Amino acid sequence: MVARALPSADRLATGSDGEKNYMEPQDSDLTALSRRWVRGVRANRRIFVVEAVALIFLGAVAIILPVVATYAATLLVGAILLSVGVVQILSALKHRTASGFWFPFGIGLLASLIGLLLLLDVSAGATSLTFLLILVFTLEGVTKIIAAFDARKHLTNWGWLALSGLVSVLLAALIWGQLPFSASWFLGLMLGINLIFSGFAQIMLVLAAPRL
């Protein structure tokens, strides 16, 4: 006598009359989205690879010429802030009769002024952005260290999280100690490292797409 295979729980449902009805499993929205993304990567492999190679090349240039990359990044941030600020101001003026007009207008004006200052004085702008990154690194490092010690009873590898936070704090202190000299190269160096890692990550995703 051969035993019948029982249906899995995800394919079995109870009807209104108490009988068991079979239901086909459906992909979740996340799974469907992932599959569409993989199909897109497969269909545009060459474009993704060319873009990744370009990112790695630009990252290498930024690391070799960090001062140039720092000034370029500062000009780019300034241009973006100025553009966003102008658009915000025009949008606020278009709806100046609406309530709360001064808040978006003030935000746009502030963004425009900061962007204009970055464009007019690139050296001071690079220094300001470096100060901002020092603050971010410090806050990130302190947060990681606190989180690591809070979770040390539940995580066996909490020391790696604490070490990562300590490195962030030490890096912030190193950059602070090198100011204002570090302001001329730090942004460019970080930009180059980020571009290279982004490029390599994109290549690995392209290579892994056929197996996903």
Side-chain angles (χ1 to χ4, degrees), residues 14 21 35-36 39-40 56 59 63 71 73 83 95-96 101 104 107 111-112 122 140 148 163 168 171 203:
T14 303
N21 300 323
R35 290 182 176 178
R36 288 196 297 268
R39 287 196 295 267
I56 294 173
I63 291 177
Y71 286 120
S83 301
H95 304 88
R96 57 183 176 274
F101 157 77
I107 294 296
S112 300
V122 182
E140 178 187 10
L163 179 62
S168 296
L171 182 59
I203 288 179

Side-chain angles (χ1 to χ4, degrees), residues 10 30 38 59-60 108 110 125 127 153 193 206:
D10 60 343
L30 182 60
V38 171
L110 179 61
T127 303
K153 295 181 179 179
I193 294 174
V206 172

Side-chain angles (χ1 to χ4, degrees), residues 37-48:
W37 180 84
V38 171
R39 287 196 295 267
V41 172
R42 291 174 179 172
N44 301 278
R45 288 171 59 90
R46 293 183 179 179
I47 296 177
F48 276 91

